[in-house]
Amino acid sequence: MNTAEFIQIRKFIVKLGIMLHKYGTPAFRLEAYLTELATYLGVRASFIATPTALTFVIWSDRREDEYNHSVRVQPGDYDMNALSRTDELATRLLAGEVGLEEADYQLDVINQMPSPYGKVLTGLGFCGATGAFAMLMGASWQEILWTALIGLIVYFLVLWSQISKRVTLMLEPAASLIAGLVACAISFYFDHGINIPLVVLSSVIILVPGLALTMGLAELSSRNLVSGTARIMDAVMQLFKLYFGAFLGISIGFGLFGANESQVAYSLPEWTRWFAIFMLCLALVVIFRTRVKHIPWALLSGFIGYGATVWSSAYFEQGLSTFVGAFALGVYANLFTRIANAPASLVSMQGLIVLVPGSKTYIGLNSFVSGQDFVQAEHIGQETFLIFMSLIAGLIFANVVMPTKKAL
């Protein structure tokens, strides 16, 4: 391998690594994928990935050429469309269908792609996801409607944060504060007796870092200690900011409009839970920018994870039933990689969102600080911890029974 070829290879690997990190790839998957790619391209490499930094060390077989590169990055957002296309490009490169120059150019094209669903559908996705979560939490039809409307306001803040660094830094507390104020105003002017804390939690559920906590624990279990610890601490700080914003917004709202007495919502029919799962997964398809050809697989993952959990809850406690759901989801996602030759994360995210107890961490924090529960929840802290552990164990066991075909 001559020097010019080595430079071309290491430039491509660095660019690919930065892009995969940007699309939300966990550290252990990113490092394994880049190591496999480097081996195929004929170089040796070592990588260190954390939520805010990437380090690349690449060298030739006889160490005639060696390259070190460190870069500061921001925590990635989930973009299944770009992740899928990037993986397909890498597969074509390894198969000899495209050269390094063309692959390097295509990476730039993929990186500049907008969301395939546009801003309007993404806004509707926020409405659908927040309303579906409220339905799963046992809210009334009126509370579901108000939650969806406040979820749309949160989406406008997310759009604003994309063009303003100051809004980006204060997105979580600002969103929950505004949600608290609007919910109090709705209770005073339009709908007395709504469960304000429940409406606020449901309206900002997209920002609750339950999935980040799960990914952090998964990284710790794979011995990526620095990345896992950093991701968990970042998620905890996001949770604190969300709770403080909601606490401040509701307090100001009560001061302006007066405190409300929430009324117990009547129970919705059992079929609404399955409808909520469908709506939640469909909304996440838009929010995560899932490609059209992967939509049926992604929707099915939510039903598999939730259905396995519900079925096993008749035989096991909730923590163990979550283990069964995570195990079924992991087997399904790894089976998808073998059939579609695509990353498992393209379809597993919807199922994980259904299983991840992000809302329980918020409820537990509220119970710890205020001593009050706005939904019926006993031993919430113990239950949340057990669910997180069961999730990670289920995914690990699934990888043993049905090994994944791809590192991503």
Side-chain angles (χ1 to χ4, degrees):
M1 179 183 298
N2 57 45
T3 302
E5 186 179 1
F6 175 80
I7 292 175
Q8 194 175 31
I9 290 174
R10 55 96 167 164
K11 282 184 176 180
F12 177 79
I13 292 175
V14 169
K15 181 183 289 187
L16 179 64
I18 294 173
M19 288 181 60
L20 290 176
H21 182 278
K22 179 182 177 182
Y23 305 145
T25 307
F28 63 96
R29 292 186 182 274
L30 177 60
E31 293 174 3
Y33 187 79
L34 291 179
T35 301
E36 290 181 4
L37 180 71
T39 301
Y40 279 119
L41 293 177
V43 297
R44 305 291 181 87
S46 180
F47 308 96
I48 300 176
T50 71
T52 57
L54 290 173
T55 300
F56 303 81
V57 181
I58 306 171
W59 66 93
S60 57
D61 281 339
R62 298 181 180 178
R63 291 190 178 269
E64 301 96 338
D65 298 289
E66 186 170 343
Y67 178 74
N68 298 334
H69 182 86
S70 296
V71 59
R72 175 71 162 81
V73 291
Q74 293 297 323
D77 292 325
Y78 298 107
D79 188 337
M80 300 298 104
N81 175 55
L83 179 63
S84 171
R85 294 182 183 277
T86 302
D87 177 71
E88 288 181 354
L89 178 62
T91 302
R92 292 173 57 203
L93 172 67
L94 298 179
E97 298 177 7
V98 296
L100 272 174
E101 291 186 7
E102 175 64 18
D104 189 86
Y105 169 75
Q106 290 297 326
L107 282 181
D108 293 329
V109 173
I110 294 172
N111 194 38
Q112 295 172 2
M113 282 184 175
S115 170
Y117 299 103
K119 294 181 179 179
V120 175
L121 280 179
T122 305
L124 293 176
F126 266 71
C127 292
T130 54
F133 179 80
M135 190 179 297
L136 284 173
M137 293 292 290
S140 65
W141 289 113
Q142 294 92 332
E143 290 168 341
I144 293 170
L145 174 62
W146 296 125
T147 296
L149 291 177
I150 299 175
L152 185 60
I153 297 175
V154 172
Y155 173 63
F156 289 143
L157 287 175
V158 172
L159 289 179
W160 191 6
S161 70
Q162 294 175 359
I163 58 175
S164 173
K165 185 175 181 179
R166 288 188 299 176
V167 178
T168 301
L169 295 175
M170 59 180 291
L171 175 61
E172 291 86 1
S176 54
L177 187 150
I178 292 174
L181 280 173
V182 173
C184 290
I186 290 172
S187 175
F188 181 77
Y189 289 108
F190 303 105
D191 194 352
H192 303 290
I194 63 172
N195 190 335
I196 291 178
L198 176 59
V199 170
V200 173
L201 169 61
S202 301
S203 62
V204 299
I205 193 62
I206 298 297
L207 303 179
V208 173
L211 190 57
L213 283 170
T214 304
M215 291 298 103
L217 291 171
E219 288 175 341
L220 287 177
S221 69
S222 64
R223 298 297 179 90
N224 286 76
L225 304 181
V226 175
S227 179
T229 303
R231 196 179 299 275
I232 288 175
M233 291 308 301
D234 180 53
V236 170
M237 288 307 302
Q238 289 185 46
L239 188 64
F240 285 166
K241 290 188 289 184
L242 279 170
Y243 178 76
F244 175 76
F247 179 80
L248 183 60
I250 293 175
S251 298
I252 295 175
F254 282 173
L256 293 174
F257 307 109
N260 83 319
E261 291 292 336
S262 60
Q263 301 174 359
V264 178
Y266 56 88
S267 299
L268 296 178
E270 183 62 27
W271 63 266
T272 58
R273 289 187 173 273
W274 295 97
F275 178 72
I277 293 296
F278 172 76
M279 288 300 299
L280 179 60
C281 292
L282 188 62
L284 291 174
V285 160
V286 178
I287 295 172
F288 288 160
R289 305 181 181 183
T290 305
R291 295 177 70 178
V292 174
K293 67 178 183 179
H294 297 144
I295 289 178
W297 293 92
L299 293 178
L300 186 58
S301 73
F303 283 100
I304 288 176
Y306 183 74
T309 302
V310 171
W311 171 80
S312 59
S313 64
Y315 306 96
F316 306 108
E317 296 181 357
Q318 183 170 4
L320 292 178
S321 64
T322 304
F323 168 81
V324 175
F327 176 79
L329 175 64
V331 171
Y332 168 77
N334 291 345
L335 184 63
F336 166 78
T337 65
R338 296 176 176 273
I339 297 175
N341 193 30
S345 55
L346 297 179
V347 299
S348 63
M349 287 302 175
Q350 279 77 2
L352 280 176
I353 288 290
V354 172
L355 298 177
V356 161
S359 61
K360 291 184 182 293
T361 58
Y362 182 99
I363 296 169
L365 181 60
N366 177 80
S367 300
F368 177 76
V369 175
S370 67
Q372 299 176 352
D373 296 326
F374 56 85
V375 295
Q376 185 177 0
E378 297 180 359
H379 309 292
I380 189 70
Q382 176 184 356
E383 184 178 310
T384 302
F385 179 78
L386 184 57
I387 290 175
F388 271 123
M389 294 299 99
S390 297
L391 268 175
I392 303 305
L395 296 176
I396 292 174
F397 275 72
N399 286 332
V400 173
V401 174
M402 177 67 71
T404 182
K405 187 178 179 181
K406 287 180 174 286
L408 284 181

